[in-house]
Amino acid sequence: MASVAFLGLGVMGYPMAGHLKNKGGHDVTVYNRTKPKAEQWVGQHGGSLAATPAQAAEGKDFVFSCVGNDDDLRSVTAGPEGAFKSMKKGSVFIDNTTASAEVARELAAAAEAGGFSFLDAPVSGGQAGAENGVLTVMVGGEQDAFDRAKPVIDAFARMVGLMGSAGAGQLTKMINQITIAGLVQGLAEGIHFGKKAGLDIEKVIEVISKGAAGSWQMENRHKTMNAGKYDFGFAVDWMRKDLGICLAEADRNGARLPVTALVDQFYKDVQAMGGKRWDTSSLLARLEK
């Protein structure tokens, strides 16, 4: 059993922290910017809560975070009451936020100067994956820190891989989001085309999902897309945040992402339709408006 802190109890962090406590059997202290959510978590799972990230991290072997963006991450780590103020020597900070590779490298350097380790470890699998403890975790950092942290991360993951040095986890997550953007747009266009052609979409998907066109998105989202229901996954607002990170990194490294840039603008259209909190499969709604 390890001594663990978890910072950020949103739709992903809340169940992830729960798996660390219940499946992993770890001693977990939680921090959330909105205190009632932390109180709710403790009431449901046990453990304890802290008033600041620094208090949560004090004396812990492993500290996890899952917050909104680069600025939120800097606040809970290097801010005035951030976890880096109290991390003990030899401990490991594991960040599950989807953020930039730049901030990951920045915080890894700060952690090294403080005598502890930092792993950027964004996740994929959505809210359902977090709730079921079957997330994919893409990690950047040093091998020794990864080897120590992996058995703890395993409590909420089915796949954990070290992708390279600091920032590599975030870069891998960018590839994940770039790929998903194109897949969802293709699926949306296919369903839209099929409807216009008068085909039975369920019959179509039953056949083509067993061939080269098959994907996780097709298997898990085609029914709700066909029904015009878009409240089953990752929100459009968050996808645009992630695609913005991808496009900014592409500007730095010279990669060309024409489809990603186009789909990002399609999601902007969905936002303008009132779909900020719809899931990413709502690209179909844009085609059908």
Side-chain angles (χ1 to χ4, degrees):
M1 180 181 75
S3 179
V4 175
F6 203 104
L7 316 176
L9 300 174
V11 295
M12 300 293 286
Y14 193 102
M16 290 163 68
H19 288 302
L20 289 168
K21 178 70 169 62
N22 300 319
K23 183 180 176 182
H26 303 298
D27 177 18
V28 180
T29 297
V30 296
Y31 163 81
N32 195 64
R33 184 166 50 187
T34 305
K35 187 177 178 181
K37 180 62 74 69
E39 293 172 336
Q40 177 186 336
W41 188 93
V42 170
Q44 181 178 350
H45 297 290
S48 57
L49 63 87
T52 68
Q55 290 179 17
E58 188 171 4
K60 299 298 190 296
D61 302 315
F62 300 95
V63 180
F64 290 80
S65 63
C66 191
V67 294
N69 54 39
D70 284 20
D71 290 340
D72 294 334
L73 180 56
R74 288 189 177 99
S75 177
V76 300
T77 54
E81 298 181 308
F84 284 13
K85 303 294 184 184
S86 62
M87 295 281 292
K88 71 179 184 179
K89 303 290 185 182
S91 59
V92 183
F93 192 102
I94 304 112
D95 176 46
N96 300 123
T97 308
T98 295
S100 69
E102 182 181 17
V103 75
R105 298 184 189 109
E106 170 191 319
L107 295 176
E112 183 178 8
F116 57 95
S117 299
F118 179 91
L119 299 174
D120 53 290
V123 301
S124 179
Q127 183 176 349
E131 291 172 350
N132 293 319
V134 291
L135 292 170
T136 296
V137 188
M138 300 148 269
V139 185
E142 296 301 318
Q143 185 74 53
D144 176 68
F146 174 80
D147 291 341
R148 286 184 283 136
K150 184 180 181 299
V152 183
I153 298 171
D154 280 341
F156 56 73
R158 68 176 172 186
M159 175 63 192
V160 185
L162 180 63
M163 311 312 298
S165 59
Q170 295 296 351
L171 292 170
T172 303
K173 179 62 185 286
M174 292 176 209
I175 296 170
N176 186 79
Q177 302 305 75
I178 289 165
T179 305
I180 287 173
L183 284 171
V184 177
Q185 179 63 20
L187 179 58
E189 291 184 15
I191 292 174
H192 176 63
F193 179 90
K195 285 182 172 183
K196 289 293 186 181
L199 297 176
D200 183 323
I201 297 301
E202 287 301 319
K203 287 184 178 179
V204 170
I205 297 297
E206 182 180 4
V207 172
I208 69 171
S209 65
K210 304 304 187 292
S215 69
W216 186 97
Q217 297 293 336
M218 181 177 288
E219 184 72 23
N220 290 275
R221 290 288 176 264
H222 81 272
K223 289 182 181 294
T224 51
M225 291 172 74
N226 193 36
K229 297 179 180 179
Y230 304 115
D231 55 351
F232 294 91
F234 193 61
V236 167
D237 277 354
W238 291 112
M239 186 60 161
R240 285 214 72 208
K241 182 211 79 169
D242 289 1
L243 294 182
I245 292 171
C246 298
L247 293 168
E249 185 66 30
D251 284 342
R252 283 190 286 270
N253 69 19
R256 298 192 298 171
L257 304 178
V259 173
T260 302
L262 186 61
V263 175
D264 178 57
Q265 291 305 301
F266 292 163
Y267 278 125
K268 183 179 180 180
D269 294 342
V270 174
Q271 288 176 319
M273 293 168 58
K276 294 181 178 182
R277 303 304 299 174
W278 295 349
D279 70 56
T280 52
S281 69
S282 57
L283 286 171
L284 178 59
R286 177 187 172 277
L287 297 173
E288 294 182 334
K289 68 178 181 178

